[in-house]
């Protein structure tokens, strides 16, 4: 909050977008920050961030859109196909967790387990290979849950990347 207040004070004309796990898990507190943020978007609407920002720029009205996670929610993390000066690319293939451990807020903040379809994994890996990346690191909130409820498993995701010409190494991020 202090950083947000300071940033607004130092950059009064900036468009400030607040999003992420804090917004999703603590939506009431996030709404209180609307005086400093121009657009507040929860994790369920991450793909709408650009459109909502354009709407704010057009109308000038502050926007707060935080929808709760739903059980049947689909994987919605945008592809990233450029990693600047890096030699290794990271590909998010899983999001969320169903475990609800007493110490963890991830299920509230990130929602239930959702997996990127194998076709989309292969397509993104192809784009990365075409840009010169030969190594891909598969990542997720609970990577070992990849494919849960969809008759898939982590090996299917690894196979999808390995099928792409030009990819020489596939690594796994933290499994849990």
């Amino acid at each position: 909050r202090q950083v947000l207040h300071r940033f607004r004070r130092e950059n009064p004309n900036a468009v400030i977008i607040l999003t992420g796990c804090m917004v999703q898990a603590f939506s009431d507190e996030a709404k209180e920050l609307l005086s400093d943020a121009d657009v507040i978007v929860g994790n369920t609407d991450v793909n709408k961030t650009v459109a909502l920002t354009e709407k704010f720029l057009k109308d000038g009205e502050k926007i707060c859109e935080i929808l709760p996670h739903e059980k049947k929610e689909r994987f919605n993390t945008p592809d990233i196909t450029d990693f600047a000066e890096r030699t290794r690319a990271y590909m998010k293939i899983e999001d969320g967790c169903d475990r609800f451990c007493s110490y963890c807020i991830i299920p509230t903040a990130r929602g239930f387990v959702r997996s990127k379809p194998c076709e989309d994994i292969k397509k993104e890996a192809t784009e990365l290979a075409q840009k010169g990346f030969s190594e891909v690191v598969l990542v997720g909130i609970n990577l070992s849950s990849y494919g849960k409820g969809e008759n898939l498993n982590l090996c299917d995701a690894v196979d999808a990347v390995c099928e792409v010409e030009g990819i020489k190494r596939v690594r796994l991020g933290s499994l849990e």
Side-chain angles (χ1 to χ4, degrees), residues 22-54:
M22 181 274 184
V23 169
Q24 190 69 42
F26 304 102
S27 57
D28 290 337
E29 289 88 341
K31 290 173 188 171
E32 291 176 15
L33 298 172
L34 195 55
S35 62
D36 287 311
D38 300 307
V39 179
I40 299 177
V41 185
N43 288 333
T44 57
D45 294 319
V46 70
N47 288 326
K48 293 182 181 178
T49 304
V50 172
L52 291 173
T53 302
E54 289 172 345

Side-chain angles (χ1 to χ4, degrees), residues 55-96:
K55 184 176 185 328
F56 169 78
L57 289 169
K58 180 181 169 213
D59 301 339
E61 294 180 25
K62 295 184 182 244
I63 299 169
C64 183
E65 190 165 315
I66 308 168
L67 300 175
H69 285 289
E70 295 180 11
K71 189 75 170 161
K72 297 293 181 183
E73 196 173 321
R74 302 298 305 155
F75 186 85
N76 68 351
T77 303
D79 293 351
I80 300 174
T81 57
D82 191 5
F83 292 88
E85 306 279 327
R86 308 244 181 225
T87 58
R88 176 183 304 158
Y90 294 84
M91 182 188 309
K92 187 169 185 179
I93 64 167
E94 185 276 338
D95 202 358

